[in-house]
Amino acid sequence: MLESLLDPRRWQITFDSIDAFWDGFFVTLQVVVWGLILALALGTILGVFSTTRSRVLRAISRVYVEFYQNTPLPVQVIFMYLMGPQLLQIATGSAAPVPIPSVVLGFVGVGLYHAAYVAEVIRTGIEAVPRGQMEAALSQGFTRVQAYIYIILPQTFKVILPPLCNQALNLVKNSSVLALVAGGDLMYRSNSFVGTYGYLQGYIVACVMYFIICFPLSMLVQYLEKRSKRVPKAKKLRDIAPELTKEA
């Protein structure tokens, strides 16, 4: 096994196919970026819904979260792959099923899935903000929507940045589910290479490329965790208002 992994000829063949791996890498990167945007946007909305006074909005958020957290991501993506074109055909009135591009299928799949987890993170962060903040905002003439946008959510995101970055890491790894439907992503390219040549070098290359995406996010998580635990230092008067100290 070790000899085959170190075989120069196998590595030469692997590097000759490196363009296919990079194509898969950029497909995965697109899925990750758009999936993160979808997960953050939808997750924030659902997280806010779960903390409102409206029973209907709380129920919508709860049903969504429970459904996506308690069903496997591969099943969701395969269902979208098989049923999505037919549902689009019905919705658009087309004569034939409407094909869904692999990148769209990938980022919608992982985006909808991780939105459920982001919603729970957002809900926890909002509940950590003292209730008096909302009451104070309302007493100053803010509407509830304005209070969430300008008062509650800015404080929430400062608290939840580390767990949000962890969700981003999980989303990168879960993007490999696109290989189940021949999505052209990095995992699919690796499976195709290994299936063609039988060389495990294809999976090693895939690991390195996933590491290129995940490692910066991992470092960001560690930095944000350290920063969140840091106690703010009091500033000296001359740093806040030097002109006052000069006058004094």
Side-chain angles (χ1 to χ4, degrees):
M1 175 66 75
L2 183 59
E3 292 179 358
S4 64
L5 291 178
L6 299 177
D7 187 350
R9 185 180 63 85
R10 295 192 174 192
W11 279 109
Q12 182 61 46
I13 294 174
T14 303
F15 287 127
D16 288 342
S17 304
I18 199 67
D19 288 343
F21 287 97
W22 281 117
D23 289 341
F25 174 85
F26 287 115
V27 169
T28 295
L29 198 59
Q30 291 181 66
V31 170
V32 168
V33 171
W34 289 108
L36 275 174
I37 293 173
L38 176 59
L40 288 173
L42 183 57
T44 300
I45 293 172
L46 292 170
V48 171
F49 280 3
S50 64
T51 59
T52 60
R53 295 181 177 180
S54 172
R55 292 184 179 180
V56 175
L57 295 181
R58 290 202 308 270
I60 291 173
S61 176
R62 196 73 255 151
V63 169
Y64 183 96
V65 169
E66 293 297 335
F67 173 78
Y68 275 95
Q69 286 189 348
N70 293 287
T71 53
L73 177 58
V75 174
Q76 298 169 16
V77 172
I78 291 174
F79 179 83
M80 290 174 58
Y81 175 72
L82 296 175
M83 293 299 299
Q86 300 181 36
L87 294 176
L88 288 176
Q89 178 186 6
I90 296 172
T92 60
S94 177
V98 180
I100 303 175
S102 58
V103 172
V104 175
L105 181 67
F107 86 74
V108 170
V110 296
L112 293 178
Y113 178 77
H114 281 277
Y117 292 90
V118 172
E120 287 295 274
V121 173
I122 296 289
R123 178 184 63 81
T124 304
I126 291 175
E127 291 177 349
V129 177
R131 293 185 178 181
Q133 297 282 340
M134 174 64 77
E135 296 173 359
L138 295 177
S139 68
Q140 295 299 316
F142 286 85
T143 65
R144 286 193 172 273
V145 174
Q146 291 174 330
Y148 272 111
I149 294 175
Y150 297 111
I151 307 298
I152 306 301
L153 288 179
Q155 298 181 71
T156 299
F157 279 107
K158 289 182 180 179
V159 176
I160 64 173
L161 275 178
L164 276 183
C165 290
N166 280 323
Q167 285 301 318
L169 278 171
N170 292 332
L171 190 148
V172 174
K173 299 169 188 176
N174 285 334
S175 66
S176 61
V177 74
L178 196 57
L180 295 175
V181 293
D185 65 313
L186 179 55
M187 194 64 200
Y188 173 76
R189 303 283 183 171
S190 302
N191 287 337
S192 298
F193 177 85
V194 175
T196 301
Y197 296 99
Y199 300 162
L200 294 180
Q201 279 82 353
Y203 289 137
I204 296 176
V205 172
C207 288
V208 171
M209 290 187 172
Y210 277 117
F211 182 83
I212 291 173
I213 301 175
C214 292
F215 183 70
L217 286 174
S218 177
M219 292 294 98
L220 180 61
V221 170
Q222 295 182 26
Y223 169 75
L224 292 174
E225 287 178 347
K226 291 179 181 178
R227 185 177 179 182
S228 64
K229 296 176 182 178
R230 192 181 303 164
V231 178
K233 295 181 179 180
K235 293 185 178 180
K236 296 181 180 179
L237 181 60
R238 66 171 61 95
D239 297 330
I240 300 174
E243 65 280 356
L244 295 178
T245 57
K246 288 180 181 179
E247 293 179 1

